[in-house]
Amino acid sequence: MIIILSPTASKSDLDELLTNLKDRGYGVHLSQGVEKTIVGVIGAHDEVKPMMAEQLSSLAYVEGVVPILKPFKVVSREFHPDKTIVRVRGVDIGGQKLVVMAGPCSIESEEQTIQVAQAVQAVGATILRGGAFKPSTSPYSFHGLGEDALKMMAAAREVTGMPFITEVMDTRDVELVSKYADILQIGTRNMANYSLLQEVGNVKKPVMLKRGMASTIEEWLQAAEYIANRGNYDIILCERGIRTFETFTRNTFDVSAIPVVTGLSHLPIIADPSHGTGRYQLVSPVSKAAIAAGADGLMIEVHPNPAKALKDGPQSLTPENFSKMMSELGNVARAVGKYV
Ligand code: PEP
Ligand code: MN
């Protein structure tokens, strides 16, 4: 349940309430907006909720008590009516300006990384993406250069000033990846790896949580709640396509998930049409659809020579194709009150 404080509530009223809840053995999450202070209560059983609601409503400094029936609370709009903006090295994710994260599927060399970073930055990308630890369905394909790749991305950040995002696959690597990366990515195969979610929830770095390829929106938001419950509220969601019976595309990009999520949650949402379609020809049209549907930004795979990419060449844009797409996004963005 969530407790909305009255506008006249003082700091000591809030402290009293928090002590009251903690004494009852509940977890609390605090959302202090410009207009309202909201306290989320975690752990209350359904049978005690009506009684608690009655008791707490009688306090002078409480404006209202709302039971939340959804299986997620902290990431819900009820808890935090304003949209969350995740800030990373001067880049705002979730505001009017669309954020484009771009780079190779996998980091292959320092030269490749810097070359792509400069090319995508020149046409408007503000975050570099790249895989150092690569999940793969096949045990025989490329699994990434590990820490060497993290160093290459850090070198590209040094040259361009761009923050970078990279995937962390294992609880044992969270400390290492956090040492280098600006945003930690949880991939589709790990969306329901609850110990990994809790581990990145303990870190003071933003986390981008991809939707599990066979997960419902509700399961995805509950996975985000695992991270938030550990105290890390800097969460970005990413729709990257789900498994359907369709085989022409690698996944089916679920464009409807974007307005569903923005209605249910205050977290920013990024669209990944590269993995969502698996075909470079579809990346630009699906990017436009995602922006029109309300996405806060894009994650796009770009490779200087897709024919030679160690991974995901068929869905990678050349720097030229990326530049063309970027020049076309502005019109769509403007139509929905945003800009590139
Ligand atoms: C990726 O972004 O490189 C990746 C592996 O994505 P996903 O987890 O969506 O397959
Ligand atoms: Mn990829």
Side-chain angles (χ1 to χ4, degrees):
M1 68 168 86
I2 59 175
I3 303 164
I4 302 154
L5 296 200
S6 86
T8 55
S10 66
K11 168 90 176 61
S12 72
D13 293 334
L14 174 63
D15 290 342
E16 182 189 291
L17 177 66
L18 296 181
T19 309
N20 177 339
L21 294 167
K22 283 177 188 161
D23 286 349
R24 294 176 193 238
Y26 302 130
V28 291
H29 287 270
L30 197 56
S31 165
Q32 281 177 300
V34 213
E35 309 218 320
K36 278 191 180 6
T37 294
I38 300 177
V39 179
V41 186
I42 308 293
H45 288 295
D46 284 348
E47 57 277 15
V48 304
K49 280 183 185 166
M51 183 190 71
M52 260 183 77
E54 219 172 84
Q55 291 175 345
L56 297 170
S57 304
S58 71
L59 295 167
Y61 54 83
V62 169
E63 187 178 283
V65 181
V66 186
I68 299 208
L69 302 171
K70 295 197 186 82
F72 47 88
K73 297 181 180 67
V74 185
V75 304
S76 75
R77 275 275 183 187
E78 286 89 341
F79 178 61
H80 195 287
D82 300 328
K83 184 131 187 181
T84 285
I85 294 184
V86 175
R87 204 153 279 164
V88 49
R89 284 185 190 257
V91 179
D92 280 356
I93 306 167
Q96 301 295 100
K97 185 180 194 304
L98 294 172
V99 172
V100 180
M101 310 177 176
C105 177
S106 309
I107 297 300
E108 298 169 3
S109 69
E110 186 169 315
E111 190 197 0
Q112 169 230 28
T113 309
I114 294 175
Q115 185 189 348
V116 177
Q118 288 176 324
V120 298
Q121 184 178 43
V123 294
T126 51
I127 297 177
L128 175 67
R129 70 141 282 145
F133 294 92
K134 294 305 302 176
S136 193
T137 305
S138 166
Y140 304 111
S141 58
F142 181 58
H143 285 94
L145 298 177
E147 186 171 5
D148 286 344
L150 298 174
K151 290 182 179 159
M152 292 169 194
M153 296 191 90
R157 177 175 59 204
E158 199 63 41
V159 174
T160 61
M162 285 169 107
F164 77 83
I165 177 169
T166 195
E167 177 166 355
V168 57
M169 285 170 55
D170 195 302
T171 52
R172 291 168 296 188
D173 298 328
V174 170
E175 204 181 317
L176 174 73
V177 177
S178 307
K179 207 171 93 189
Y180 294 92
D182 300 293
I183 307 174
L184 307 178
Q185 175 172 320
I186 301 293
T188 190
R189 294 162 185 81
N190 269 317
M191 187 211 82
N193 180 341
Y194 300 115
S195 39
L196 181 60
L197 298 177
Q198 289 176 328
E199 207 58 38
V200 297
N202 291 331
V203 169
K204 296 272 160 286
K205 287 265 165 113
V207 175
M208 188 171 89
L209 177 66
K210 287 194 158 195
R211 178 179 181 182
M213 62 179 92
S215 297
T216 64
I217 293 170
E218 205 170 88
E219 287 162 348
W220 184 20
L221 291 171
Q222 287 179 91
E225 186 95 357
Y226 264 92
I227 301 171
N229 269 342
R230 288 293 170 119
N232 188 350
Y233 296 167
D234 280 336
I235 306 166
I236 305 147
L237 298 166
C238 176
E239 164 61 40
R240 52 79 69 202
I242 50 175
R243 275 272 169 99
T244 67
F245 53 80
E246 181 55 66
T247 55
F248 191 84
T249 48
R250 183 176 176 187
N251 291 285
T252 296
F253 184 82
D254 182 5
V255 74
S256 65
I258 294 166
V260 171
V261 162
T262 51
L264 292 175
S265 175
H266 53 87
L267 299 176
I269 180 162
I270 297 291
D272 172 356
S274 304
H275 295 89
T277 66
R279 290 176 178 252
Y280 81 90
Q281 301 91 332
L282 301 178
V283 169
S284 176
V286 174
S287 293
K288 290 169 190 160
I291 291 169
D296 296 297
L298 303 169
M299 170 173 264
I300 308 288
E301 288 190 343
V302 179
H303 195 284
N305 187 353
K308 288 204 171 146
L310 295 182
K311 233 175 148 36
D312 289 354
Q315 69 194 34
S316 297
L317 297 184
T318 58
E320 295 70 37
N321 284 335
F322 179 70
S323 166
K324 181 166 186 297
M325 179 185 86
M326 289 296 282
S327 69
E328 294 167 0
L329 297 179
N331 283 335
V332 183
R334 267 190 299 282
V336 291
K338 297 200 177 139
Y339 64 101
V340 186

